Amino acid sequence: MICINCGRTHRYISSSIDQGMHWLRQDESTRLGICSFCPDSVAAWDQGARDVRDLAAAKLKTERETDLPGWLIKHAKLPSLPHVLIEIYKELESETAGIERMIQLLETDPGLTARTLQIGNSAYYGAAKQITRVEDAILRVGPFDLWALLISTEVKSLFFGIRPDLMDMNSFWQHSLFTACACRVFAEQQRQDSAGEMFVAGLIHDVGKLLFLQMMPIEYADVVTRYVGGDEGAELEIELLGIDHGQLGARLFENWQLPKILIELTAGHHTKSSPSEQVTLLRRADKLAHEYLDHKPTNAESQAHTEPAIQPIAALFQQLTELVL
């Protein structure tokens, strides 16, 4: 008898090395089976798998059917966000946060160092003198704002190859940036301490859509073609795929070890059951972004918009478009 998953034979299972092992499944006619070292292969065996190739295919099918988010994240082969950014966030959240440690962390990553200097020297910050040191960029931009911009642009860079007939990526990121700007302005008006995190949440709240589009373009095309607006897209996702893009994005961010607040905001931005104050803010910003960008108002219409904060939001959006997009 041989295990079709790990290759153990009956002589190993009866040996002192594997004492207590036994067969979970076996076929006497073929002398094949599943040993108790391989319980995750039992379902594939029960589906009829009798060799390594069939076993792999059956396990893949079971994994997709029982945990679609896990399957998508595992097989998308997306690189993780630079660990430096997670460490910087921990530093910013600590009571002993210091610029010196942030400088040390950024300078361990040449790509992030270059991006830091690029942000610090951008037209948005309007300084005539060019800077060449990470320390100067942090002081000019601000530690938390710099972190928010770095993590936002890193997430944006991870997704490519999306079918243009299913998603206009320029429009997608414009909507995301407008939502981020609205989140920030709303949070500042409400004197919340989390304006920077709300900005990031707004920019990445729809990333789950991109994962669907990368991994399941055919299935997700049904959602895209039937989508009208509002929460209907998320409802269609649950109906057709069993999970909405907010929940999928949250699972991805858990995998990336992003801050808990970003995970919770992403997961909840289409939920209707007692949303928190911050989720309500994100939903308001998301709705405003759809109204403003999909309608493409003239200047006069912009000034007459019913949302009192539209002017500072639109101004911030215009200023950051070149920097982030």
Side-chain angles (χ1 to χ4, degrees):
M1 192 74 68
I2 184 170
C3 177
I4 64 171
N5 184 65
C6 68
R8 283 184 172 82
T9 66
H10 66 283
R11 69 185 179 86
Y12 289 123
I13 285 181
S14 61
S15 73
S16 60
I17 297 175
D18 296 327
Q19 187 174 7
M21 297 306 299
H22 56 279
W23 294 107
L24 299 174
R25 297 289 188 275
Q26 55 185 315
D27 185 338
E28 293 293 345
S29 64
T30 61
R31 306 300 295 165
L32 298 174
I34 301 293
C35 76
S36 54
F37 270 127
C38 307
D40 61 338
S41 298
V42 169
W45 174 277
D46 292 343
Q47 292 176 29
R50 293 297 183 270
D51 63 35
V52 174
R53 289 170 299 179
D54 289 345
L55 183 71
K59 289 173 75 173
L60 197 64
K61 180 181 178 183
T62 299
E63 181 183 1
R64 174 169 168 166
E65 291 176 347
T66 57
D67 182 17
L68 180 61
W71 180 87
L72 288 169
I73 293 166
K74 177 180 178 180
H75 295 282
K77 296 182 174 62
L78 290 173
S80 296
L81 289 175
H83 190 66
V84 167
L85 292 176
I86 308 302
E87 291 301 314
I88 288 174
Y89 180 81
K90 292 177 182 177
E91 286 293 319
L92 293 174
E93 284 290 282
S94 72
E95 296 180 357
T96 58
I99 290 179
E100 294 78 10
R101 179 58 178 157
M102 189 173 179
I103 294 169
Q104 292 172 358
L105 287 166
L106 283 171
E107 288 182 340
T108 64
D109 188 312
L112 289 177
T113 297
R115 181 62 178 151
T116 295
L117 295 175
Q118 181 184 5
I119 291 171
N121 286 311
S122 65
Y124 176 71
Y125 290 99
K129 182 181 178 181
Q130 290 286 299
I131 55 177
T132 58
R133 299 191 308 165
V134 169
E135 178 180 4
D136 294 332
I138 295 172
L139 292 173
R140 180 177 288 181
V141 179
F144 208 101
D145 279 358
L146 178 60
W147 175 83
L149 291 169
L150 286 173
I151 203 166
S152 300
T153 51
E154 283 294 321
V155 170
K156 181 177 178 290
S157 71
L158 298 181
F159 291 91
F160 55 90
I162 303 296
R163 280 175 44 181
D165 59 319
L166 294 179
M167 180 67 72
D168 179 340
M169 292 303 295
N170 185 55
S171 295
F172 175 90
W173 288 115
Q174 282 187 341
H175 168 80
S176 300
L177 178 59
F178 196 96
T179 303
C181 292
C183 280
R184 179 167 197 138
V185 171
F186 292 157
E188 289 173 346
Q189 289 178 339
Q190 295 176 16
R191 302 186 184 281
Q192 293 187 11
D193 294 332
S194 57
E197 290 164 319
M198 291 303 303
F199 176 88
V200 177
L203 199 76
I204 65 177
H205 72 286
D206 276 344
V207 160
K209 290 182 180 180
L210 302 184
L211 190 52
F212 273 135
L213 286 164
Q214 267 195 351
M215 296 297 294
M216 306 176 68
I218 296 174
E219 297 93 330
Y220 202 67
D222 288 339
V223 176
V224 174
T225 55
R226 290 169 56 183
Y227 174 68
V228 175
D231 290 327
E232 184 181 327
E235 293 168 0
L236 282 170
E237 290 165 350
I238 292 173
E239 176 189 338
L240 299 174
L241 304 170
I243 187 172
D244 70 40
H245 64 270
Q247 296 164 335
L248 177 60
R251 282 284 298 272
L252 176 63
F253 300 156
E254 284 179 357
N255 186 264
W256 283 348
Q257 299 181 344
L258 289 189
K260 186 178 179 180
I261 184 176
L262 300 181
I263 296 168
E264 292 176 348
L265 286 166
T266 302
H269 79 274
H270 281 293
T271 60
K272 297 179 180 179
S273 56
S274 302
S276 68
E277 181 180 357
Q278 289 175 317
V279 169
T280 299
L281 189 153
L282 175 56
R283 286 174 60 84
R284 176 186 169 196
D286 187 20
K287 182 174 183 290
L288 179 61
H290 279 298
E291 291 175 353
Y292 185 86
L293 294 175
D294 295 350
H295 180 51
K296 296 180 174 58
T298 64
N299 287 336
E301 288 174 329
S302 175
Q303 293 172 3
H305 199 283
T306 56
E307 172 57 65
I310 194 65
Q311 290 182 331
I313 293 170
L316 181 61
F317 171 71
Q318 291 300 326
Q319 290 172 327
L320 288 179
T321 292
E322 183 177 350
L323 182 60
V324 177
L325 302 185

